[in-house]
Amino acid sequence: MVYIKLFFLIYITIGTKSEKTSFQSKFIIYYCSLNIIIVSFLIRFLLYRHQSRFNIIKAKYCFEYYKVKSKLNITVYYEILCPASVRFFTQQLRPAVELLAPYLDIHLIPYGHARTFQVRGHYEFRCQHGPAECYGNKLQACVVDALRNNTQAVLFNSCLLQYSAYRSNYGFDYSYIMRWCSYKLHTPVQGIITCMHNGRASLLLKKYGDITHALSPQYVPFVLVDGSTDKQNDASHDMISTVCKLLNPTPLVCYR
């Protein structure tokens, strides 16, 4: 509309000039004016298109930046007698769960560098740190299965890992450790004991073995954040900071 008004303004201006103005001169003026209007229109059109593309890019960036991320999935592959697994649970995972439990969905995979064999209709296991570790991994699996609560399972299993170095004259006394953790965390253990004695523990460990072999981690603990290994190193060395950076909006507890 602006360009049409401009064209008619030029037309009226030229028309009011002296009648001595030749037809050829008027034609040249009209032609040049029309070209100026067309070029101006094209410039504005190109600028508009450029601005539109910029707005789209800006919108995509803003969407990514302000994308809500209210919960993270954390998957941990480990074995109970691995010193690195013990350190990770006690120094990284447990403190993160204690602070950020509402923002975390934890999946524990207690198997590690073990092997599964089927012998006469039942499963047997060989673990990196011996039979005591196979028993301990079954215990970890039963805790997850019996408690049915991610936060409680992490806290209880962290307690088991922390005191897994306790030895009696007969080897690892897991019954003592379990009773102590039950007392310390006010957690009932009857469901865990039942799981350990009714054959379910072996089925659970077999399942975790299948999951572990499907991924084939080269070491444990091995951590996935939302199914990705991108934050493996960060999460392994500073779980709380990693979680706080990935959550959006950042929980207030991250600033304390």
Side-chain angles (χ1 to χ4, degrees):
M1 192 65 183
V2 175
Y3 299 114
I4 295 174
K5 289 181 180 179
L6 179 60
F7 180 78
F8 276 105
L9 180 62
I10 295 172
Y11 176 81
I12 293 171
T13 303
I14 296 174
T16 56
K17 288 186 176 296
S18 172
E19 295 180 356
K20 295 182 180 180
T21 306
S22 66
F23 173 78
Q24 185 177 8
S25 298
K26 289 182 178 181
F27 176 80
I28 292 173
I29 294 173
Y30 288 144
Y31 179 78
C32 292
S33 301
L34 184 60
N35 276 281
I36 291 172
I37 292 172
I38 292 172
V39 171
S40 300
F41 174 79
L42 289 174
I43 292 173
R44 284 180 64 92
F45 176 73
L46 292 173
L47 288 174
Y48 172 79
R49 287 194 63 186
H50 177 75
Q51 183 66 30
S52 298
R53 290 180 179 177
F54 174 75
N55 288 337
I56 291 173
I57 295 172
K58 184 168 66 174
K60 288 183 178 179
Y61 171 78
C62 290
F63 176 78
E64 291 296 327
Y65 184 80
Y66 292 105
K67 184 168 59 177
V68 175
K69 186 65 177 177
S70 59
K71 203 161 193 174
L72 293 177
N73 286 291
I74 306 294
T75 305
V76 183
Y77 297 78
Y78 68 103
E79 54 195 14
I80 190 170
L81 296 185
C82 169
S85 293
V86 175
R87 284 194 301 272
F88 174 73
F89 268 77
T90 57
Q91 297 176 16
Q92 298 298 331
L93 188 60
R94 181 170 61 190
V97 169
E98 289 173 340
L99 182 67
L100 298 161
Y103 308 99
L104 298 173
D105 189 6
I106 308 292
H107 302 275
L108 302 180
I109 313 294
Y111 187 82
H113 300 298
R115 299 178 64 187
T116 302
F117 303 91
Q118 190 166 10
V119 180
R120 292 188 294 274
H122 68 277
Y123 295 112
E124 294 184 358
F125 306 92
R126 292 181 185 173
C127 298
Q128 181 172 338
H129 299 93
E133 183 167 74
C134 289
Y135 187 90
N137 286 343
K138 288 181 182 180
L139 185 58
Q140 295 271 305
C142 282
V143 169
V144 175
D145 186 67
L147 297 185
R148 302 286 179 177
N149 181 292
N150 287 340
T151 300
Q152 290 183 11
V154 169
L155 296 180
F156 198 90
N157 278 344
S158 295
C159 183
L160 292 177
L161 276 123
Q162 181 178 356
Y163 295 102
S164 61
Y166 177 83
R167 291 176 179 272
S168 69
N169 293 331
Y170 303 99
F172 281 79
D173 191 346
Y174 281 114
S175 61
Y176 175 86
I177 299 171
M178 186 168 59
R179 289 195 301 271
W180 167 246
C181 292
S182 174
Y183 169 78
K184 184 179 180 181
L185 300 173
H186 308 288
T187 303
V189 296
Q190 186 55 49
I192 301 170
I193 295 172
T194 300
C195 173
M196 291 295 293
H197 290 91
N198 66 5
R200 182 161 178 76
S202 292
L203 296 177
L204 291 172
L205 196 59
K206 166 65 166 58
K207 179 188 73 172
Y208 288 136
D210 292 341
I211 295 172
T212 301
H213 291 309
L215 181 66
S216 297
Q218 295 182 351
Y219 54 87
V220 291
F222 195 84
V223 184
L224 299 181
V225 179
D226 281 345
S228 171
T229 59
D230 290 347
K231 299 298 180 180
Q232 157 81 227
N233 189 63
D234 294 339
S236 297
H237 292 87
D238 195 344
M239 175 67 78
I240 290 177
S241 177
T242 301
V243 171
C244 286
K245 288 178 182 177
L246 293 175
L247 290 171
N248 191 20
T250 304
L252 291 177
V253 292
C254 291
Y255 297 106
R256 295 176 183 174

